[in-house]
Amino acid sequence: TMTPSFSDSPTASYTVTPSNSFTGTASFTGSPTETPTLTPSQSFSATESYTDSATQTPSFTDSATPSETKTATATRSATSSKTVTFTFSASPTFSPSPTISPTFTPAAPFTVTIKVFNSAGELVAILYSLLPMYSQMSGMSSVQASFDPDQGGQAALRLDGPDLTILWKGEGGSGQMVQSGSYYVLAQQVDPMGTVTSWTAPLTVIRSETGVEVQVYNSAGELIWHRGNLAGGSSRMDLSSDRLVLGSSASSSVKISYGSGSGDYVVWDGLNDAGAQVAGGVYVVKMTQKGGDGAIKHFSRSVTVIAIKDESFHRAIPWPNPLGGSDVSMKIDFEGAQPGGKAEGTIYDISGKKIAELRGGDALAGLVWDLAPNLAGGIYLARVSVRNAQGRVTAQSVKIAVLR
Protein backbone atom coordinates (compact mmCIF):
# COMPACT_ATOMS: atom_id res chain seq x y z
CA THR A 1 0.00 0.00 0.00
CA MET A 2 1.19 3.62 -0.63
CA THR A 3 0.88 6.13 2.27
CA PRO A 4 2.13 9.76 2.33
CA SER A 5 4.97 10.91 4.65
CA PHE A 6 6.38 14.42 5.18
CA SER A 7 9.90 15.88 5.34
CA ASP A 8 11.33 19.43 5.20
CA SER A 9 13.25 20.83 2.28
CA PRO A 10 15.39 24.03 2.47
CA THR A 11 13.84 27.10 0.95
CA ALA A 12 15.89 30.29 0.39
CA SER A 13 13.99 33.58 0.33
CA TYR A 14 15.39 37.13 0.25
CA THR A 15 13.79 40.42 1.25
CA VAL A 16 15.59 43.60 0.20
CA THR A 17 14.80 46.98 1.72
CA PRO A 18 16.96 49.99 0.70
CA SER A 19 19.08 51.12 3.64
CA ASN A 20 22.48 52.43 4.69
CA SER A 21 23.40 49.56 7.00
CA PHE A 22 23.26 45.79 6.69
CA THR A 23 22.27 43.29 9.37
CA GLY A 24 22.20 39.52 8.73
CA THR A 25 19.23 37.82 10.45
CA ALA A 26 18.88 34.04 10.57
CA SER A 27 15.25 32.77 10.37
CA PHE A 28 13.92 29.20 10.15
CA THR A 29 11.04 28.00 7.98
CA GLY A 30 9.55 24.53 8.23
CA SER A 31 7.86 23.28 5.05
CA PRO A 32 6.32 19.76 5.09
CA THR A 33 6.81 17.60 1.96
CA GLU A 34 5.04 14.31 1.24
CA THR A 35 7.43 11.50 0.42
CA PRO A 36 6.14 7.89 0.16
CA THR A 37 8.26 5.39 2.04
CA LEU A 38 8.08 1.60 2.16
CA THR A 39 8.14 -0.04 5.54
CA PRO A 40 8.29 -3.88 5.68
CA SER A 41 6.10 -5.48 8.35
CA GLN A 42 5.29 -9.06 9.25
CA SER A 43 1.69 -10.26 9.49
CA PHE A 44 0.19 -13.70 10.09
CA SER A 45 -3.00 -15.10 8.60
CA ALA A 46 -4.63 -18.54 8.79
CA THR A 47 -5.43 -20.07 5.37
CA GLU A 48 -7.53 -23.15 4.86
CA SER A 49 -6.10 -25.71 2.43
CA TYR A 50 -7.55 -28.99 1.40
CA THR A 51 -5.63 -32.19 0.81
CA ASP A 52 -7.11 -35.40 -0.51
CA SER A 53 -5.92 -38.32 1.57
CA ALA A 54 -6.81 -41.95 1.33
CA THR A 55 -7.89 -43.72 4.45
CA GLN A 56 -8.03 -47.37 4.63
CA THR A 57 -11.13 -48.70 6.32
CA PRO A 58 -11.51 -52.38 6.81
CA SER A 59 -15.00 -53.79 6.09
CA PHE A 60 -16.26 -57.19 6.65
CA THR A 61 -18.77 -59.16 4.55
CA ASP A 62 -20.55 -62.14 5.76
CA SER A 63 -19.65 -64.88 3.46
CA ALA A 64 -18.85 -68.34 3.81
CA THR A 65 -15.31 -67.43 3.41
CA PRO A 66 -14.15 -64.42 5.36
CA SER A 67 -12.15 -61.92 3.25
CA GLU A 68 -10.64 -58.39 3.87
CA THR A 69 -11.59 -55.65 1.36
CA LYS A 70 -9.73 -52.30 1.29
CA THR A 71 -11.71 -49.15 0.32
CA ALA A 72 -10.36 -45.54 -0.06
CA THR A 73 -12.37 -42.42 0.95
CA ALA A 74 -11.40 -38.75 0.48
CA THR A 75 -11.49 -36.44 3.56
CA ARG A 76 -10.80 -32.75 3.94
CA SER A 77 -8.55 -31.27 6.75
CA ALA A 78 -7.77 -27.62 7.59
CA THR A 79 -4.15 -26.61 8.33
CA SER A 80 -2.65 -23.21 9.39
CA SER A 81 0.20 -21.74 7.36
CA LYS A 82 2.30 -18.56 8.10
CA THR A 83 2.72 -16.03 5.29
CA VAL A 84 4.76 -12.79 5.22
CA THR A 85 3.16 -9.73 3.60
CA PHE A 86 4.43 -6.12 3.20
CA THR A 87 2.30 -3.10 4.17
CA PHE A 88 3.00 0.58 3.48
CA SER A 89 2.51 3.42 5.96
CA ALA A 90 3.16 7.23 5.67
CA SER A 91 4.78 8.98 8.66
CA PRO A 92 5.25 12.83 8.53
CA THR A 93 8.70 14.09 9.51
CA PHE A 94 9.81 17.69 10.04
CA SER A 95 13.32 19.17 9.85
CA PRO A 96 14.10 22.90 10.22
CA SER A 97 15.83 24.56 7.32
CA PRO A 98 17.64 27.90 7.99
CA THR A 99 16.71 30.76 5.74
CA ILE A 100 18.86 33.95 5.88
CA SER A 101 16.83 37.06 5.20
CA PRO A 102 18.96 40.25 5.08
CA THR A 103 17.38 43.27 6.78
CA PHE A 104 18.57 46.88 6.70
CA THR A 105 18.47 49.64 9.35
CA PRO A 106 18.48 53.18 7.99
CA ALA A 107 21.12 55.61 9.32
CA ALA A 108 19.97 58.47 11.54
CA PRO A 109 19.63 61.62 9.41
CA PHE A 110 20.54 63.99 12.29
CA THR A 111 23.37 64.15 14.86
CA VAL A 112 23.42 66.24 18.05
CA THR A 113 26.39 67.34 20.18
CA ILE A 114 25.71 68.64 23.71
CA LYS A 115 28.32 70.61 25.72
CA VAL A 116 28.40 72.48 29.05
CA PHE A 117 30.17 75.84 29.47
CA ASN A 118 30.81 78.02 32.52
CA SER A 119 29.96 81.71 32.72
CA ALA A 120 33.38 82.62 31.29
CA GLY A 121 32.68 80.60 28.14
CA GLU A 122 35.13 77.82 29.03
CA LEU A 123 34.23 74.25 28.10
CA VAL A 124 33.39 72.25 31.22
CA ALA A 125 32.05 68.93 29.91
CA ILE A 126 30.88 67.18 26.75
CA LEU A 127 27.69 65.26 27.52
CA TYR A 128 27.15 63.77 24.04
CA SER A 129 29.15 63.88 20.83
CA LEU A 130 27.42 63.17 17.49
CA LEU A 131 24.40 61.55 19.15
CA PRO A 132 22.28 59.98 16.33
CA MET A 133 18.71 61.30 16.02
CA TYR A 134 15.90 60.03 13.82
CA SER A 135 13.72 63.05 14.60
CA GLN A 136 14.66 66.66 14.00
CA MET A 137 15.11 68.89 17.05
CA SER A 138 12.90 71.94 17.33
CA GLY A 139 14.29 73.37 20.59
CA MET A 140 15.73 72.70 24.06
CA SER A 141 14.31 73.66 27.45
CA SER A 142 15.40 73.28 31.10
CA VAL A 143 13.27 70.88 33.15
CA GLN A 144 15.50 71.20 36.26
CA ALA A 145 17.71 74.26 35.89
CA SER A 146 19.00 74.64 39.50
CA PHE A 147 20.45 71.71 41.44
CA ASP A 148 22.84 70.74 44.24
CA PRO A 149 25.18 67.88 43.16
CA ASP A 150 26.33 67.37 46.78
CA GLN A 151 22.77 66.31 47.64
CA GLY A 152 22.40 64.01 44.61
CA GLY A 153 20.68 66.61 42.43
CA GLN A 154 20.93 66.62 38.64
CA ALA A 155 20.17 69.08 35.88
CA ALA A 156 17.50 67.92 33.42
CA LEU A 157 17.00 69.28 29.91
CA ARG A 158 14.42 68.27 27.32
CA LEU A 159 15.17 68.06 23.62
CA ASP A 160 11.99 69.06 21.78
CA GLY A 161 11.30 67.03 18.67
CA PRO A 162 12.95 63.73 19.67
CA ASP A 163 11.33 64.25 23.12
CA LEU A 164 14.47 63.12 24.98
CA THR A 165 15.58 64.12 28.49
CA ILE A 166 19.31 64.81 29.06
CA LEU A 167 20.77 64.65 32.61
CA TRP A 168 23.94 66.27 34.02
CA LYS A 169 25.31 65.39 37.48
CA GLY A 170 27.48 68.50 37.74
CA GLU A 171 30.72 66.72 36.82
CA GLY A 172 33.46 68.25 34.70
CA GLY A 173 35.44 66.49 32.01
CA SER A 174 37.84 65.01 34.59
CA GLY A 175 35.00 63.62 36.72
CA GLN A 176 35.37 66.28 39.45
CA MET A 177 32.36 68.23 40.71
CA VAL A 178 32.17 71.78 39.35
CA GLN A 179 31.95 74.79 41.63
CA SER A 180 28.80 76.74 42.41
CA GLY A 181 27.89 79.23 39.70
CA SER A 182 26.08 79.85 36.44
CA TYR A 183 26.50 77.50 33.48
CA TYR A 184 24.82 77.01 30.11
CA VAL A 185 24.25 74.01 27.88
CA LEU A 186 24.83 74.22 24.12
CA ALA A 187 23.11 71.74 21.78
CA GLN A 188 24.19 71.68 18.12
CA GLN A 189 22.27 69.69 15.51
CA VAL A 190 23.65 68.78 12.08
CA ASP A 191 21.07 67.85 9.40
CA PRO A 192 21.69 65.70 6.27
CA MET A 193 22.69 68.82 4.31
CA GLY A 194 25.35 69.75 6.87
CA THR A 195 23.41 72.70 8.27
CA VAL A 196 24.15 73.37 11.96
CA THR A 197 21.40 74.62 14.28
CA SER A 198 22.15 75.60 17.90
CA TRP A 199 20.14 76.00 21.10
CA THR A 200 21.23 77.05 24.61
CA ALA A 201 19.73 76.61 28.07
CA PRO A 202 20.96 78.15 31.36
CA LEU A 203 21.80 76.12 34.48
CA THR A 204 22.69 77.05 38.06
CA VAL A 205 24.84 74.88 40.32
CA ILE A 206 24.33 75.46 44.05
CA ARG A 207 26.71 73.33 46.11
CA SER A 208 26.34 72.70 49.82
CA GLU A 209 30.02 71.85 50.11
CA THR A 210 31.20 69.67 52.95
CA GLY A 211 34.69 69.16 54.29
CA VAL A 212 37.45 70.78 56.31
CA GLU A 213 39.59 73.89 55.90
CA VAL A 214 42.75 74.53 57.96
CA GLN A 215 44.10 78.09 58.30
CA VAL A 216 47.07 79.69 60.08
CA TYR A 217 46.94 83.33 61.23
CA ASN A 218 49.73 85.54 62.59
CA SER A 219 49.42 87.69 65.73
CA ALA A 220 47.97 90.55 63.66
CA GLY A 221 45.08 88.34 62.49
CA GLU A 222 46.38 88.01 58.92
CA LEU A 223 45.88 84.73 57.07
CA ILE A 224 49.33 83.45 56.10
CA TRP A 225 48.75 79.79 55.18
CA HIS A 226 45.75 77.56 54.46
CA ARG A 227 44.62 74.24 53.03
CA GLY A 228 41.02 73.71 51.93
CA ASN A 229 38.58 71.15 50.48
CA LEU A 230 39.86 68.45 52.82
CA ALA A 231 37.71 65.34 53.28
CA GLY A 232 36.87 64.06 56.75
CA GLY A 233 36.40 65.92 60.02
CA SER A 234 35.72 65.16 63.68
CA SER A 235 34.78 66.89 66.91
CA ARG A 236 38.38 67.96 67.72
CA MET A 237 41.68 69.12 66.27
CA ASP A 238 45.09 67.83 67.37
CA LEU A 239 48.61 69.21 66.87
CA SER A 240 51.75 67.11 66.99
CA SER A 241 53.47 69.97 68.86
CA ASP A 242 52.66 73.49 70.03
CA ARG A 243 56.22 74.63 69.17
CA LEU A 244 57.76 74.96 65.71
CA VAL A 245 61.52 75.54 65.60
CA LEU A 246 62.56 76.71 62.14
CA GLY A 247 66.04 75.69 61.03
CA SER A 248 66.06 72.64 63.33
CA SER A 249 65.66 69.24 61.70
CA ALA A 250 64.13 67.89 64.91
CA SER A 251 61.10 70.19 64.96
CA SER A 252 60.76 71.71 61.49
CA SER A 253 57.03 71.08 60.99
CA VAL A 254 53.72 70.63 62.83
CA LYS A 255 51.26 67.87 61.99
CA ILE A 256 47.64 69.10 62.16
CA SER A 257 45.12 66.23 62.51
CA TYR A 258 41.51 67.07 61.68
CA GLY A 259 39.77 63.68 61.39
CA SER A 260 39.70 60.08 62.60
CA GLY A 261 41.18 58.60 59.41
CA SER A 262 44.87 57.76 59.06
CA GLY A 263 45.20 60.30 56.25
CA ASP A 264 43.15 63.08 57.85
CA TYR A 265 45.99 65.53 58.49
CA VAL A 266 48.07 68.29 56.93
CA VAL A 267 51.61 69.42 57.73
CA TRP A 268 52.66 73.05 58.22
CA ASP A 269 56.39 73.61 57.77
CA GLY A 270 56.53 77.26 58.89
CA LEU A 271 56.21 78.74 55.39
CA ASN A 272 53.49 81.10 54.21
CA ASP A 273 51.37 80.61 51.08
CA ALA A 274 54.04 82.42 49.05
CA GLY A 275 56.68 79.89 50.16
CA ALA A 276 58.63 82.27 52.42
CA GLN A 277 59.61 81.38 55.97
CA VAL A 278 57.52 83.12 58.64
CA ALA A 279 59.03 85.17 61.44
CA GLY A 280 59.15 83.99 65.01
CA GLY A 281 56.07 84.57 67.15
CA VAL A 282 52.72 83.11 68.21
CA TYR A 283 50.40 81.82 65.47
CA VAL A 284 46.83 80.52 65.63
CA VAL A 285 45.79 77.36 63.78
CA LYS A 286 42.07 77.31 62.98
CA MET A 287 40.00 74.44 61.59
CA THR A 288 36.56 74.92 60.03
CA GLN A 289 34.35 71.88 59.45
CA LYS A 290 31.32 72.13 57.17
CA GLY A 291 28.64 69.45 57.52
CA GLY A 292 26.19 68.26 54.90
CA ASP A 293 23.33 69.70 56.97
CA GLY A 294 24.87 73.17 56.76
CA ALA A 295 26.29 73.12 60.31
CA ILE A 296 29.73 74.73 60.71
CA LYS A 297 32.16 73.92 63.53
CA HIS A 298 35.29 75.89 64.47
CA PHE A 299 38.39 74.71 66.36
CA SER A 300 41.59 76.64 67.15
CA ARG A 301 44.99 76.04 68.76
CA SER A 302 48.07 78.23 69.12
CA VAL A 303 51.61 77.44 67.95
CA THR A 304 54.81 79.23 68.96
CA VAL A 305 57.31 79.63 66.13
CA ILE A 306 60.99 79.98 67.04
CA ALA A 307 63.14 81.08 64.11
CA ILE A 308 66.85 80.25 64.38
CA LYS A 309 68.95 83.01 62.83
CA ASP A 310 71.61 80.80 61.24
CA GLU A 311 69.57 80.14 58.09
CA SER A 312 71.16 78.38 55.15
CA PHE A 313 70.18 81.40 52.98
CA HIS A 314 67.96 84.45 53.24
CA ARG A 315 66.20 84.65 49.90
CA ALA A 316 65.96 82.75 46.59
CA ILE A 317 66.23 85.07 43.57
CA PRO A 318 65.16 83.70 40.13
CA TRP A 319 66.34 85.56 37.00
CA PRO A 320 65.22 86.39 34.46
CA ASN A 321 61.67 86.50 35.77
CA PRO A 322 59.46 86.57 33.81
CA LEU A 323 60.97 84.39 31.12
CA GLY A 324 60.47 85.55 27.53
CA GLY A 325 59.95 83.55 24.40
CA SER A 326 63.65 83.59 23.51
CA ASP A 327 64.86 82.48 26.96
CA VAL A 328 65.99 78.86 27.15
CA SER A 329 67.11 78.75 30.79
CA MET A 330 66.70 80.48 34.14
CA LYS A 331 69.02 80.72 37.18
CA ILE A 332 68.13 80.84 40.88
CA ASP A 333 70.67 82.49 43.21
CA PHE A 334 70.63 82.06 47.00
CA GLU A 335 71.18 85.33 48.86
CA GLY A 336 73.08 84.80 52.12
CA ALA A 337 74.24 81.27 51.28
CA GLN A 338 77.48 80.13 52.94
CA PRO A 339 80.30 77.99 51.50
CA GLY A 340 79.64 74.28 51.71
CA GLY A 341 75.87 74.61 51.27
CA LYS A 342 74.11 72.05 49.04
CA ALA A 343 71.14 73.27 46.99
CA GLU A 344 68.40 71.40 45.19
CA GLY A 345 65.08 72.35 43.64
CA THR A 346 62.06 71.22 41.63
CA ILE A 347 59.70 73.05 39.25
CA TYR A 348 55.92 72.47 39.46
CA ASP A 349 53.05 73.83 37.38
CA ILE A 350 50.07 75.60 38.92
CA SER A 351 48.20 72.29 39.38
CA GLY A 352 51.08 70.80 41.41
CA LYS A 353 52.39 68.55 38.62
CA LYS A 354 56.18 68.07 38.65
CA ILE A 355 57.75 69.64 35.54
CA ALA A 356 61.54 69.46 35.99
CA GLU A 357 64.44 69.10 38.40
CA LEU A 358 66.83 72.07 38.70
CA ARG A 359 70.43 71.56 37.61
CA GLY A 360 73.33 72.26 39.96
CA GLY A 361 74.09 71.57 43.61
CA ASP A 362 76.42 74.22 45.01
CA ALA A 363 74.45 76.87 46.90
CA LEU A 364 76.95 79.62 46.03
CA ALA A 365 76.75 78.81 42.30
CA GLY A 366 72.96 78.58 42.34
CA LEU A 367 70.60 76.32 40.38
CA VAL A 368 69.63 76.35 36.69
CA TRP A 369 66.33 75.51 35.03
CA ASP A 370 66.65 74.34 31.41
CA LEU A 371 63.31 75.08 29.72
CA ALA A 372 61.79 72.42 27.51
CA PRO A 373 61.19 73.60 23.91
CA ASN A 374 57.45 72.83 24.12
CA LEU A 375 56.92 74.38 27.56
CA ALA A 376 53.60 76.21 27.73
CA GLY A 377 53.34 79.73 29.01
CA GLY A 378 51.96 80.29 32.50
CA ILE A 379 52.84 80.49 36.17
CA TYR A 380 55.23 77.91 37.63
CA LEU A 381 56.47 77.29 41.19
CA ALA A 382 60.11 76.60 42.09
CA ARG A 383 60.53 74.76 45.39
CA VAL A 384 64.17 75.14 46.48
CA SER A 385 66.13 74.24 49.61
CA VAL A 386 69.71 74.58 50.90
CA ARG A 387 71.41 72.44 53.52
CA ASN A 388 74.35 74.23 55.16
CA ALA A 389 77.55 72.70 56.56
CA GLN A 390 75.92 72.26 59.99
CA GLY A 391 73.06 70.27 58.47
CA ARG A 392 70.40 72.97 58.84
CA VAL A 393 67.91 73.16 55.95
CA THR A 394 66.17 76.29 54.71
CA ALA A 395 63.45 75.97 52.05
CA GLN A 396 61.52 78.51 50.01
CA SER A 397 59.10 78.60 47.12
CA VAL A 398 59.21 81.26 44.40
CA LYS A 399 56.79 81.96 41.54
CA ILE A 400 58.10 82.12 37.99
CA ALA A 401 56.22 83.53 35.00
CA VAL A 402 56.80 82.08 31.53
CA LEU A 403 55.62 84.16 28.56
CA ARG A 404 55.03 82.27 25.33
Side-chain angles (χ1 to χ4, degrees):
T1 58
M2 297 291 291
T3 56
S5 67
F6 302 91
S7 66
D8 289 332
S9 63
T11 303
S13 62
Y14 297 88
T15 304
V16 179
T17 304
S19 172
N20 296 327
S21 62
F22 175 83
T23 305
T25 304
S27 61
F28 297 89
T29 306
S31 55
T33 305
E34 293 189 7
T35 304
T37 58
L38 301 180
T39 305
S41 62
Q42 289 186 346
S43 63
F44 300 90
S45 60
T47 306
E48 289 188 353
S49 60
Y50 298 90
T51 305
D52 290 333
S53 59
T55 304
Q56 292 184 353
T57 304
S59 61
F60 299 92
T61 306
D62 292 333
S63 63
T65 302
S67 63
E68 182 178 353
T69 305
K70 296 182 178 179
T71 60
T73 60
T75 61
R76 291 183 176 180
S77 62
T79 61
S80 296
S81 62
K82 180 166 66 175
T83 62
V84 177
T85 61
F86 290 90
T87 61
F88 300 90
S89 61
S91 58
T93 59
F94 296 90
S95 59
S97 58
T99 302
I100 299 178
S101 302
T103 59
F104 297 88
T105 304
F110 305 96
T111 59
V112 174
T113 299
I114 302 176
K115 303 177 181 180
V116 181
F117 295 84
N118 60 17
S119 57
E122 299 169 328
L123 178 64
V124 174
I126 300 177
L127 303 185
Y128 294 95
S129 179
L130 301 178
L131 178 67
M133 292 285 185
Y134 288 91
S135 300
Q136 185 175 7
M137 279 184 61
S138 58
M140 180 175 63
S141 57
S142 298
V143 179
Q144 180 65 47
S146 300
F147 68 104
D148 182 358
D150 296 312
Q151 301 298 323
Q154 299 183 87
L157 302 106
R158 195 163 80 96
L159 305 184
D160 300 326
D163 196 21
L164 293 178
T165 299
I166 302 300
L167 300 177
W168 180 44
K169 298 180 180 179
E171 295 180 347
S174 61
Q176 299 291 329
M177 287 294 180
V178 300
Q179 299 298 318
S180 299
S182 298
Y183 298 82
Y184 69 91
V185 177
L186 172 66
Q188 293 180 312
Q189 174 186 263
V190 180
D191 65 14
M193 302 300 295
T195 303
V196 179
T197 308
S198 301
W199 297 268
T200 60
L203 295 176
T204 302
V205 177
I206 306 173
R207 295 194 60 186
S208 56
E209 300 182 20
T210 61
V212 173
E213 184 176 16
V214 177
Q215 301 170 323
V216 178
Y217 294 83
N218 61 16
S219 57
E222 300 170 329
L223 176 65
I224 63 164
W225 183 88
H226 79 288
R227 292 292 183 269
N229 297 325
L230 304 172
S234 64
S235 59
R236 49 185 276 173
M237 178 182 66
D238 295 320
L239 304 180
S240 61
S241 175
D242 60 358
R243 291 166 56 91
L244 175 58
V245 181
L246 300 180
S248 171
S249 59
S251 303
S252 59
S253 64
V254 173
K255 180 179 179 181
I256 306 169
S257 301
Y258 55 83
S260 57
S262 59
D264 294 344
Y265 68 89
V266 292
V267 176
W268 182 43
D269 55 3
L271 303 181
N272 59 22
D273 281 333
Q277 181 175 298
V278 300
V282 178
Y283 293 80
V284 177
V285 180
K286 291 185 177 181
M287 184 189 82
T288 303
Q289 178 185 351
K290 300 177 182 179
D293 56 355
I296 300 178
K297 299 179 181 179
H298 298 281
F299 307 88
S300 63
R301 296 278 300 274
S302 61
V303 174
T304 300
V305 175
I306 302 174
I308 299 177
K309 297 302 181 180
D310 58 341
E311 299 173 330
S312 301
F313 68 97
H314 303 312
R315 184 170 59 140
I317 304 174
W319 61 278
N321 190 18
L323 290 161
S326 61
D327 293 320
V328 296
S329 65
M330 183 211 69
K331 185 180 180 184
I332 297 180
D333 288 331
F334 297 97
E335 184 182 76
Q338 300 297 319
K342 300 298 182 182
E344 60 182 17
T346 306
I347 301 295
Y348 300 90
D349 64 14
I350 198 66
S351 68
K353 179 182 177 182
K354 181 179 177 180
I355 300 300
E357 293 283 351
L358 297 181
R359 177 167 53 85
D362 186 355
L364 291 179
L367 298 174
V368 177
W369 178 22
D370 296 316
L371 278 66
N374 59 347
L375 181 71
I379 301 298
Y380 294 85
L381 188 68
R383 178 66 173 172
V384 296
S385 64
V386 173
R387 180 184 296 273
N388 64 16
Q390 290 73 38
R392 301 191 186 280
V393 178
T394 301
Q396 289 186 14
S397 297
V398 291
K399 290 184 179 178
I400 301 167
V402 177
L403 305 179
R404 285 287 190 260

